[in-house]
Amino acid sequence: MADVEFDHVSKIYDNGFMAVNELSLRIDDGEFLVLVGPSGCGKSTALRMVAGLEDISEGELRIDNERMNEVQPRERDIAMVFQSYALYPHLTVAENIGFGLTLRKMPKQEINARVRKAAATLGLVDLLERRPKMLSGGQRQRVAMGRAIVREPKVFLMDEPLSNLDAKLRVQMRAEIAKLQHDMGITTVYVTHDQVEAMTMADRVAVMRRGVLQQVDTPYELYDRPANLFVAGFIGSPAMNLLAGRVSVASGQVSVRIGDQTLDIAPAAVAAYPELADANGRDVTMGIRPEFFTFPAEQADPGQRLEIMIDLVESTGSETHVHFALPVAPVDTDDTRDLAEHAGDTVPEKATSTVVVAKLDGLARVRLADRISLGVNTGRCHFFDAATGAPLR
Ligand SMILES: Nc1ncnc2c1ncn2[C@@H]1O[C@H](COP(=O)(O)OP(=O)(O)OP(=O)(O)O)[C@@H](O)[C@H]1O
Ligand SMILES: [Mg+2]
Protein backbone atom coordinates (compact mmCIF):
# COMPACT_ATOMS: atom_id res chain seq x y z
CA MET A 1 0.00 0.00 0.00
CA ALA A 2 1.37 3.37 -0.96
CA ASP A 3 0.67 6.92 -1.95
CA VAL A 4 2.66 8.81 -4.54
CA GLU A 5 3.31 12.53 -4.37
CA PHE A 6 4.78 14.92 -6.91
CA ASP A 7 5.92 18.05 -5.10
CA HIS A 8 6.78 20.84 -7.59
CA VAL A 9 8.45 18.29 -9.85
CA SER A 10 10.01 19.56 -13.08
CA LYS A 11 11.89 17.80 -15.86
CA ILE A 12 14.28 19.75 -18.01
CA TYR A 13 15.91 17.61 -20.69
CA ASP A 14 19.58 18.07 -21.62
CA ASN A 15 18.64 20.22 -24.60
CA GLY A 16 16.96 22.68 -22.20
CA PHE A 17 13.39 21.64 -23.00
CA MET A 18 11.06 21.70 -20.00
CA ALA A 19 8.83 18.66 -20.47
CA VAL A 20 7.20 18.78 -17.00
CA ASN A 21 6.71 22.13 -15.28
CA GLU A 22 6.30 22.23 -11.47
CA LEU A 23 3.93 19.29 -11.24
CA SER A 24 2.27 18.99 -7.83
CA LEU A 25 -0.09 16.06 -7.48
CA ARG A 26 -0.87 13.52 -4.80
CA ILE A 27 -2.13 10.04 -5.72
CA ASP A 28 -3.81 8.41 -2.75
CA ASP A 29 -3.27 4.90 -1.51
CA GLY A 30 -5.23 2.49 -3.73
CA GLU A 31 -6.29 5.20 -6.15
CA PHE A 32 -6.50 4.80 -9.94
CA LEU A 33 -5.20 8.08 -11.33
CA VAL A 34 -5.12 8.70 -15.09
CA LEU A 35 -2.76 11.26 -16.61
CA VAL A 36 -4.21 12.48 -19.89
CA GLY A 37 -3.30 15.16 -22.44
CA PRO A 38 -2.24 15.70 -26.03
CA SER A 39 0.87 14.11 -27.51
CA GLY A 40 4.06 15.64 -26.12
CA CYS A 41 2.45 17.18 -23.02
CA GLY A 42 4.81 15.30 -20.66
CA LYS A 43 2.75 12.32 -19.53
CA SER A 44 5.36 9.65 -20.15
CA THR A 45 8.08 11.87 -18.71
CA ALA A 46 6.09 12.27 -15.48
CA LEU A 47 5.50 8.53 -15.25
CA ARG A 48 9.13 7.69 -15.99
CA MET A 49 10.22 9.96 -13.15
CA VAL A 50 8.07 7.90 -10.76
CA ALA A 51 9.68 4.74 -12.09
CA GLY A 52 13.15 6.22 -11.74
CA LEU A 53 13.85 5.85 -15.47
CA GLU A 54 14.27 9.61 -15.79
CA ASP A 55 16.12 11.94 -13.42
CA ILE A 56 14.10 14.58 -11.62
CA SER A 57 15.44 18.07 -12.41
CA GLU A 58 13.64 19.98 -9.66
CA GLY A 59 11.22 19.24 -6.86
CA GLU A 60 10.66 16.07 -4.90
CA LEU A 61 8.95 12.79 -5.65
CA ARG A 62 7.73 10.88 -2.61
CA ILE A 63 6.32 7.39 -2.19
CA ASP A 64 4.83 6.82 1.26
CA ASN A 65 6.30 10.17 2.33
CA GLU A 66 9.80 9.00 1.49
CA ARG A 67 11.95 10.98 -0.97
CA MET A 68 12.58 8.86 -4.09
CA ASN A 69 14.70 11.23 -6.20
CA GLU A 70 17.92 9.32 -5.59
CA VAL A 71 16.44 5.84 -5.11
CA GLN A 72 17.33 3.28 -7.80
CA PRO A 73 14.42 2.03 -9.96
CA ARG A 74 14.68 -1.55 -8.68
CA GLU A 75 14.44 -0.33 -5.09
CA ARG A 76 11.21 1.61 -5.62
CA ASP A 77 8.92 -1.46 -5.56
CA ILE A 78 7.08 -0.40 -8.70
CA ALA A 79 5.86 -2.43 -11.69
CA MET A 80 5.42 -0.85 -15.08
CA VAL A 81 3.36 -1.90 -18.12
CA PHE A 82 4.22 -0.27 -21.44
CA GLN A 83 2.52 0.11 -24.80
CA SER A 84 4.91 -2.41 -26.35
CA TYR A 85 4.88 -5.30 -23.95
CA ALA A 86 7.89 -7.05 -25.50
CA LEU A 87 7.28 -10.63 -24.42
CA TYR A 88 10.18 -13.07 -24.81
CA PRO A 89 9.21 -15.17 -27.85
CA HIS A 90 11.18 -18.26 -26.81
CA LEU A 91 9.65 -18.42 -23.30
CA THR A 92 6.23 -19.81 -22.40
CA VAL A 93 3.49 -17.65 -20.94
CA ALA A 94 4.31 -18.97 -17.48
CA GLU A 95 8.02 -18.22 -17.92
CA ASN A 96 7.26 -14.76 -19.29
CA ILE A 97 5.04 -13.95 -16.31
CA GLY A 98 7.59 -15.26 -13.83
CA PHE A 99 10.66 -13.84 -15.56
CA GLY A 100 11.18 -10.87 -13.25
CA LEU A 101 10.91 -13.10 -10.20
CA THR A 102 13.43 -15.59 -11.62
CA LEU A 103 15.83 -12.69 -12.13
CA ARG A 104 15.35 -11.77 -8.50
CA LYS A 105 16.29 -15.35 -7.56
CA MET A 106 12.99 -16.02 -5.84
CA PRO A 107 12.51 -19.71 -4.89
CA LYS A 108 10.90 -21.75 -7.70
CA GLN A 109 7.93 -22.82 -5.60
CA GLU A 110 7.04 -19.24 -4.70
CA ILE A 111 7.34 -18.21 -8.35
CA ASN A 112 5.03 -21.01 -9.45
CA ALA A 113 2.46 -20.07 -6.84
CA ARG A 114 2.49 -16.41 -7.82
CA VAL A 115 2.32 -17.18 -11.55
CA ARG A 116 -0.65 -19.52 -11.01
CA LYS A 117 -2.46 -16.91 -8.97
CA ALA A 118 -1.87 -14.17 -11.55
CA ALA A 119 -2.90 -16.48 -14.38
CA ALA A 120 -6.13 -17.32 -12.57
CA THR A 121 -6.88 -13.62 -12.05
CA LEU A 122 -6.23 -12.87 -15.72
CA GLY A 123 -7.90 -15.94 -17.25
CA LEU A 124 -4.63 -17.31 -18.59
CA VAL A 125 -4.54 -20.69 -16.82
CA ASP A 126 -5.11 -22.71 -20.00
CA LEU A 127 -2.45 -20.78 -21.90
CA LEU A 128 0.48 -21.09 -19.48
CA GLU A 129 2.49 -23.47 -21.68
CA ARG A 130 1.97 -21.52 -24.93
CA ARG A 131 4.48 -19.24 -26.53
CA PRO A 132 3.58 -15.60 -27.27
CA LYS A 133 3.23 -16.10 -31.02
CA MET A 134 0.26 -18.39 -30.35
CA LEU A 135 -1.62 -15.70 -28.44
CA SER A 136 -4.06 -13.00 -29.53
CA GLY A 137 -3.26 -9.33 -28.93
CA GLY A 138 -5.51 -9.20 -25.88
CA GLN A 139 -3.94 -12.36 -24.43
CA ARG A 140 -0.46 -10.92 -24.89
CA GLN A 141 -1.57 -7.78 -23.14
CA ARG A 142 -2.80 -9.91 -20.23
CA VAL A 143 0.56 -11.66 -20.02
CA ALA A 144 2.22 -8.25 -19.76
CA MET A 145 -0.20 -7.39 -16.95
CA GLY A 146 0.61 -10.74 -15.32
CA ARG A 147 4.29 -9.88 -15.32
CA ALA A 148 3.47 -6.72 -13.36
CA ILE A 149 1.01 -8.38 -10.98
CA VAL A 150 3.32 -11.20 -9.82
CA ARG A 151 5.73 -8.61 -8.52
CA GLU A 152 3.06 -7.58 -5.98
CA PRO A 153 4.39 -4.01 -6.15
CA LYS A 154 3.41 -0.98 -4.14
CA VAL A 155 2.57 0.97 -7.28
CA PHE A 156 1.53 0.13 -10.85
CA LEU A 157 2.60 2.45 -13.64
CA MET A 158 0.99 1.97 -17.06
CA ASP A 159 1.88 3.92 -20.19
CA GLU A 160 -0.73 3.56 -22.95
CA PRO A 161 -0.94 -0.22 -22.38
CA LEU A 162 -3.93 -0.60 -24.70
CA SER A 163 -2.89 1.42 -27.71
CA ASN A 164 -1.75 -1.60 -29.73
CA LEU A 165 -5.16 -3.25 -29.49
CA ASP A 166 -8.13 -2.82 -31.81
CA ALA A 167 -11.02 -0.64 -30.71
CA LYS A 168 -13.29 -3.40 -29.44
CA LEU A 169 -10.58 -5.16 -27.45
CA ARG A 170 -9.49 -1.84 -26.01
CA VAL A 171 -12.94 -1.25 -24.56
CA GLN A 172 -13.00 -4.76 -23.08
CA MET A 173 -9.49 -4.55 -21.62
CA ARG A 174 -10.10 -1.15 -20.13
CA ALA A 175 -12.94 -2.58 -18.08
CA GLU A 176 -10.80 -5.58 -17.11
CA ILE A 177 -7.87 -3.45 -15.98
CA ALA A 178 -10.09 -1.10 -14.01
CA LYS A 179 -11.74 -4.04 -12.24
CA LEU A 180 -8.43 -5.76 -11.56
CA GLN A 181 -6.97 -2.57 -10.11
CA HIS A 182 -10.04 -2.08 -7.96
CA ASP A 183 -9.90 -5.67 -6.67
CA MET A 184 -6.17 -5.52 -5.93
CA GLY A 185 -6.30 -2.02 -4.49
CA ILE A 186 -2.81 -1.16 -5.74
CA THR A 187 -2.11 2.54 -6.29
CA THR A 188 -1.98 3.05 -10.06
CA VAL A 189 -0.87 5.83 -12.37
CA TYR A 190 -2.11 5.23 -15.91
CA VAL A 191 -1.15 7.34 -18.92
CA THR A 192 -3.26 7.79 -22.05
CA HIS A 193 -3.98 10.46 -24.65
CA ASP A 194 -7.55 9.15 -25.01
CA GLN A 195 -9.93 11.17 -22.86
CA VAL A 196 -12.70 8.56 -23.07
CA GLU A 197 -10.30 5.93 -21.73
CA ALA A 198 -9.28 8.35 -18.98
CA MET A 199 -12.85 9.20 -18.00
CA THR A 200 -14.12 5.60 -17.97
CA MET A 201 -11.23 4.10 -15.98
CA ALA A 202 -10.11 6.70 -13.49
CA ASP A 203 -11.01 7.51 -9.92
CA ARG A 204 -9.50 10.91 -10.72
CA VAL A 205 -8.16 12.32 -13.97
CA ALA A 206 -5.21 14.71 -14.22
CA VAL A 207 -5.24 16.76 -17.43
CA MET A 208 -1.84 18.01 -18.64
CA ARG A 209 -0.97 20.42 -21.40
CA ARG A 210 2.52 21.53 -22.49
CA GLY A 211 4.07 20.16 -19.29
CA VAL A 212 1.60 21.96 -17.02
CA LEU A 213 -1.13 20.31 -14.93
CA GLN A 214 -4.45 21.95 -15.85
CA GLN A 215 -6.88 20.23 -13.48
CA VAL A 216 -7.16 17.08 -11.42
CA ASP A 217 -10.62 15.92 -10.48
CA THR A 218 -13.16 13.13 -10.68
CA PRO A 219 -14.47 12.46 -14.19
CA TYR A 220 -17.79 14.13 -13.45
CA GLU A 221 -16.23 17.26 -11.95
CA LEU A 222 -13.99 17.62 -15.00
CA TYR A 223 -17.02 17.37 -17.24
CA ASP A 224 -19.23 19.63 -15.16
CA ARG A 225 -16.72 22.22 -13.88
CA PRO A 226 -13.77 22.49 -16.27
CA ALA A 227 -11.02 24.71 -14.86
CA ASN A 228 -10.39 26.44 -18.18
CA LEU A 229 -11.23 26.47 -21.87
CA PHE A 230 -8.60 23.83 -22.69
CA VAL A 231 -10.06 21.26 -20.29
CA ALA A 232 -13.58 22.14 -21.44
CA GLY A 233 -12.68 21.38 -25.05
CA PHE A 234 -10.54 18.34 -24.24
CA ILE A 235 -13.04 16.40 -22.14
CA GLY A 236 -16.22 15.16 -23.81
CA SER A 237 -17.18 13.38 -27.01
CA PRO A 238 -18.27 14.85 -29.33
CA ALA A 239 -16.35 17.84 -28.04
CA MET A 240 -17.94 20.90 -26.48
CA ASN A 241 -18.92 23.55 -29.04
CA LEU A 242 -17.01 26.79 -28.41
CA LEU A 243 -18.65 29.94 -29.69
CA ALA A 244 -17.59 33.57 -29.70
CA GLY A 245 -20.28 35.72 -28.12
CA ARG A 246 -20.91 39.03 -26.44
CA VAL A 247 -22.70 39.33 -23.11
CA SER A 248 -25.47 41.81 -22.39
CA VAL A 249 -27.19 42.27 -19.06
CA ALA A 250 -30.57 44.02 -18.92
CA SER A 251 -32.84 44.13 -15.86
CA GLY A 252 -31.05 41.19 -14.33
CA GLN A 253 -31.32 38.94 -17.41
CA VAL A 254 -27.97 37.80 -18.80
CA SER A 255 -27.96 37.16 -22.55
CA VAL A 256 -25.26 36.21 -25.02
CA ARG A 257 -25.34 37.33 -28.63
CA ILE A 258 -23.86 34.80 -31.06
CA GLY A 259 -23.78 36.12 -34.60
CA ASP A 260 -27.28 37.32 -35.38
CA GLN A 261 -29.04 35.37 -32.61
CA THR A 262 -29.35 35.91 -28.87
CA LEU A 263 -29.58 33.31 -26.10
CA ASP A 264 -30.98 34.09 -22.66
CA ILE A 265 -28.81 32.46 -20.02
CA ALA A 266 -30.68 30.49 -17.34
CA PRO A 267 -29.98 31.33 -13.66
CA ALA A 268 -28.15 28.03 -13.02
CA ALA A 269 -25.35 29.08 -15.37
CA VAL A 270 -25.10 32.53 -13.80
CA ALA A 271 -24.81 30.81 -10.41
CA ALA A 272 -21.99 28.60 -11.75
CA TYR A 273 -20.31 31.54 -13.55
CA PRO A 274 -21.08 34.55 -11.30
CA GLU A 275 -18.93 37.00 -13.29
CA LEU A 276 -21.61 36.83 -15.99
CA ALA A 277 -23.87 39.01 -13.85
CA ASP A 278 -21.70 42.07 -14.41
CA ALA A 279 -20.20 41.20 -17.78
CA ASN A 280 -22.31 43.62 -19.82
CA GLY A 281 -20.51 44.21 -23.13
CA ARG A 282 -17.81 41.60 -22.47
CA ASP A 283 -16.55 39.24 -25.20
CA VAL A 284 -16.75 35.64 -24.05
CA THR A 285 -16.37 32.12 -25.30
CA MET A 286 -19.57 30.21 -24.68
CA GLY A 287 -19.31 26.43 -24.40
CA ILE A 288 -22.34 24.34 -25.36
CA ARG A 289 -21.98 20.58 -25.10
CA PRO A 290 -23.65 18.69 -27.98
CA GLU A 291 -25.94 16.93 -25.51
CA PHE A 292 -27.45 20.19 -24.25
CA PHE A 293 -29.34 20.96 -27.43
CA THR A 294 -32.98 19.84 -27.44
CA PHE A 295 -35.29 18.95 -30.30
CA PRO A 296 -38.06 19.62 -30.95
CA ALA A 297 -37.57 23.07 -29.45
CA GLU A 298 -41.18 23.70 -28.34
CA GLN A 299 -40.37 22.79 -24.72
CA ALA A 300 -37.59 25.38 -24.60
CA ASP A 301 -38.14 28.97 -23.53
CA PRO A 302 -38.33 31.16 -26.70
CA GLY A 303 -35.19 33.00 -25.54
CA GLN A 304 -33.30 29.71 -25.44
CA ARG A 305 -33.56 28.58 -29.04
CA LEU A 306 -31.37 28.76 -32.10
CA GLU A 307 -32.68 28.78 -35.67
CA ILE A 308 -30.37 26.68 -37.80
CA MET A 309 -30.00 24.91 -41.12
CA ILE A 310 -28.67 21.37 -41.08
CA ASP A 311 -25.43 20.75 -42.99
CA LEU A 312 -24.90 17.10 -42.06
CA VAL A 313 -26.78 14.34 -40.25
CA GLU A 314 -24.97 11.34 -38.70
CA SER A 315 -27.06 8.59 -37.18
CA THR A 316 -25.73 5.88 -34.90
CA GLY A 317 -29.21 4.49 -34.29
CA SER A 318 -29.34 5.54 -30.66
CA GLU A 319 -28.18 9.09 -31.41
CA THR A 320 -28.49 11.58 -34.23
CA HIS A 321 -25.64 14.06 -34.61
CA VAL A 322 -26.65 17.22 -36.43
CA HIS A 323 -23.97 19.58 -37.81
CA PHE A 324 -24.74 23.19 -38.64
CA ALA A 325 -22.88 26.47 -39.01
CA LEU A 326 -23.34 29.72 -37.12
CA PRO A 327 -22.18 32.97 -38.73
CA VAL A 328 -19.40 33.84 -36.26
CA ALA A 329 -15.66 33.43 -36.69
CA PRO A 330 -14.31 30.32 -34.91
CA VAL A 331 -12.69 30.94 -31.53
CA ASP A 332 -8.98 31.12 -32.35
CA THR A 333 -6.64 31.01 -29.34
CA ASP A 334 -3.68 28.87 -28.24
CA ASP A 335 -6.22 26.63 -26.50
CA THR A 336 -8.39 26.02 -29.56
CA ARG A 337 -5.34 25.55 -31.79
CA ASP A 338 -3.97 22.87 -29.41
CA LEU A 339 -7.38 21.23 -29.26
CA ALA A 340 -7.74 21.19 -33.04
CA GLU A 341 -4.27 19.71 -33.44
CA HIS A 342 -5.08 16.99 -30.91
CA ALA A 343 -8.33 16.18 -32.71
CA GLY A 344 -6.51 16.08 -36.06
CA ASP A 345 -8.57 19.02 -37.37
CA THR A 346 -7.27 22.00 -39.24
CA VAL A 347 -8.80 25.36 -38.47
CA PRO A 348 -9.49 27.09 -41.79
CA GLU A 349 -7.79 30.48 -42.10
CA LYS A 350 -10.14 33.44 -41.93
CA ALA A 351 -13.26 31.28 -41.56
CA THR A 352 -16.36 33.37 -40.94
CA SER A 353 -18.57 30.61 -39.59
CA THR A 354 -18.28 28.07 -36.79
CA VAL A 355 -19.36 24.45 -37.18
CA VAL A 356 -21.57 23.29 -34.33
CA VAL A 357 -22.57 19.72 -33.44
CA ALA A 358 -25.82 18.86 -31.66
CA LYS A 359 -26.48 15.40 -30.24
CA LEU A 360 -30.16 14.58 -30.60
CA ASP A 361 -32.25 11.52 -29.90
CA GLY A 362 -31.91 8.66 -32.40
CA LEU A 363 -35.60 9.05 -33.20
CA ALA A 364 -35.26 12.72 -34.23
CA ARG A 365 -36.72 13.03 -37.73
CA VAL A 366 -34.34 15.55 -39.28
CA ARG A 367 -32.77 15.73 -42.74
CA LEU A 368 -30.01 17.51 -44.56
CA ALA A 369 -30.89 21.13 -45.42
CA ASP A 370 -33.86 21.21 -43.00
CA ARG A 371 -34.34 24.55 -41.27
CA ILE A 372 -35.16 23.77 -37.66
CA SER A 373 -35.29 25.35 -34.25
CA LEU A 374 -33.10 23.80 -31.53
CA GLY A 375 -33.55 24.36 -27.81
CA VAL A 376 -30.39 25.16 -25.82
CA ASN A 377 -30.13 24.17 -22.17
CA THR A 378 -28.33 27.40 -21.33
CA GLY A 379 -28.25 26.56 -17.62
CA ARG A 380 -25.62 23.90 -18.39
CA CYS A 381 -23.45 26.04 -20.62
CA HIS A 382 -19.93 27.24 -19.81
CA PHE A 383 -18.39 30.70 -20.09
CA PHE A 384 -14.77 31.73 -20.47
CA ASP A 385 -12.88 34.95 -21.02
CA ALA A 386 -12.49 35.35 -24.79
CA ALA A 387 -8.80 36.21 -24.56
CA THR A 388 -7.45 34.09 -21.68
CA GLY A 389 -9.80 31.10 -21.58
CA ALA A 390 -10.24 31.56 -17.81
CA PRO A 391 -13.67 30.58 -16.49
CA LEU A 392 -15.99 33.48 -15.56
CA ARG A 393 -16.08 32.50 -11.90
N1 LIG B 1 15.27 12.81 -24.16
C1 LIG B 1 14.60 13.91 -24.51
N2 LIG B 1 15.25 15.06 -24.81
C2 LIG B 1 14.58 16.17 -25.16
N3 LIG B 1 13.22 16.26 -25.23
C3 LIG B 1 12.53 15.15 -24.94
C4 LIG B 1 13.16 13.93 -24.57
N4 LIG B 1 12.21 13.00 -24.35
C5 LIG B 1 11.03 13.63 -24.56
N5 LIG B 1 11.21 14.91 -24.92
C6 LIG B 1 10.18 15.91 -25.21
O1 LIG B 1 9.44 16.15 -24.04
C7 LIG B 1 8.07 16.33 -24.33
C8 LIG B 1 7.23 15.38 -23.51
O2 LIG B 1 7.48 14.06 -23.96
P1 LIG B 1 6.63 12.84 -23.39
O3 LIG B 1 7.16 11.61 -24.02
O4 LIG B 1 6.62 12.89 -21.91
O5 LIG B 1 5.20 13.20 -23.95
P2 LIG B 1 3.82 12.36 -23.86
O6 LIG B 1 2.83 13.25 -23.21
O7 LIG B 1 4.07 11.04 -23.25
O8 LIG B 1 3.44 12.23 -25.40
P3 LIG B 1 2.78 10.97 -26.21
O9 LIG B 1 1.29 11.05 -25.98
O10 LIG B 1 3.11 11.32 -27.64
O11 LIG B 1 3.42 9.72 -25.73
C9 LIG B 1 7.92 16.16 -25.84
O12 LIG B 1 7.88 17.42 -26.44
C10 LIG B 1 9.17 15.41 -26.22
O13 LIG B 1 9.55 15.72 -27.53
MG1 LIG C 1 4.00 9.08 -23.98
Side-chain angles (χ1 to χ4, degrees), residues 53-367:
L53 301 174
E54 213 63 82
D55 286 339
I56 293 166
S57 312
E58 284 164 22
E60 189 166 90
L61 177 85
R62 294 187 286 270
I63 297 179
D64 275 341
N65 289 323
E66 224 180 288
R67 179 181 166 97
M68 286 292 124
N69 296 43
E70 293 78 24
V71 175
Q72 288 301 310
R74 53 164 50 242
E75 259 115 59
R76 293 190 189 192
D77 201 3
I78 275 168
M80 195 152 173
V81 184
F82 298 95
Q83 171 180 349
S84 61
Y85 13 90
L87 304 179
Y88 297 104
H90 56 289
L91 300 183
T92 64
V93 166
E95 287 162 345
N96 265 289
I97 294 177
F99 189 74
L101 306 182
T102 309
L103 274 189
R104 282 176 168 68
K105 308 230 165 21
M106 186 179 276
K108 253 212 157 69
Q109 242 180 340
E110 169 81 15
I111 297 178
N112 283 339
R114 286 200 189 190
V115 169
R116 294 235 135 239
K117 191 170 151 208
T121 308
L122 293 161
L124 291 171
V125 173
D126 295 336
L127 306 176
L128 282 172
E129 296 315 314
R130 287 210 194 163
R131 292 188 205 278
K133 70 165 188 276
M134 294 169 66
L135 300 177
S136 71
Q139 290 165 342
R140 283 178 209 182
Q141 214 290 329
R142 276 186 215 124
V143 176
M145 287 292 299
R147 220 163 33 179
I149 290 175
V150 288
R151 301 261 313 277
E152 300 179 3
K154 274 199 207 167
V155 180
F156 278 139
L157 303 177
M158 303 188 196
D159 195 346
E160 312 241 8
L162 305 183
S163 50
N164 283 341
L165 305 179
D166 66 45
K168 192 171 165 213
L169 199 51
R170 221 158 44 219
V171 171
Q172 183 192 333
M173 287 301 297
R174 110 189 157 199
E176 281 185 27
I177 291 177
K179 180 170 187 314
L180 188 68
Q181 191 278 339
H182 188 259
D183 292 347
M184 296 181 75
I186 294 180
T187 312
T188 300
V189 188
Y190 183 107
V191 162
T192 178
H193 62 272
D194 178 345
Q195 62 89 20
V196 177
E197 198 168 293
M199 295 288 274
T200 50
M201 295 179 81
D203 293 322
R204 282 188 310 155
V205 179
V207 181
M208 285 181 74
R209 175 197 180 205
R210 300 190 188 185
V212 178
L213 179 65
Q214 305 289 303
Q215 183 172 8
V216 52
D217 249 318
T218 61
Y220 189 77
E221 278 292 309
L222 278 184
Y223 172 86
D224 194 47
R225 276 180 75 81
N228 56 37
L229 185 69
F230 179 80
V231 175
F234 191 79
I235 299 292
S237 174
M240 186 188 288
N241 300 291
L242 301 172
L243 295 163
R246 178 166 290 170
V247 178
S248 62
V249 186
S251 10
Q253 173 64 56
V254 175
S255 306
V256 174
R257 186 154 190 84
I258 296 167
D260 52 359
Q261 305 194 59
T262 302
L263 286 169
D264 290 342
I265 307 307
V270 183
Y273 293 91
E275 286 178 30
L276 277 174
D278 33 44
N280 193 25
R282 187 163 170 186
D283 288 327
V284 298
T285 298
M286 178 169 178
I288 311 177
R289 291 203 185 274
E291 50 273 37
F292 293 129
F293 288 100
T294 57
F295 179 82
E298 279 77 56
Q299 310 268 341
D301 183 289
Q304 299 179 358
R305 297 181 194 173
L306 287 174
E307 308 304 320
I308 61 118
M309 191 184 84
I310 299 177
D311 288 330
L312 178 70
V313 177
E314 296 171 322
S315 173
T316 65
S318 62
E319 293 169 2
T320 302
H321 295 185
V322 166
H323 296 229
F324 57 95
L326 290 177
V328 281
V331 178
D332 184 13
T333 63
D334 280 355
D335 289 319
T336 57
R337 280 190 288 269
D338 279 6
L339 291 166
E341 190 189 344
H342 177 69
D345 293 341
T346 46
V347 187
E349 295 277 321
K350 301 213 170 33
T352 53
S353 64
T354 304
V355 176
V356 181
V357 180
K359 185 153 101 182
L360 309 182
D361 194 277
L363 294 173
R365 289 280 159 265
V366 291
R367 281 177 314 184

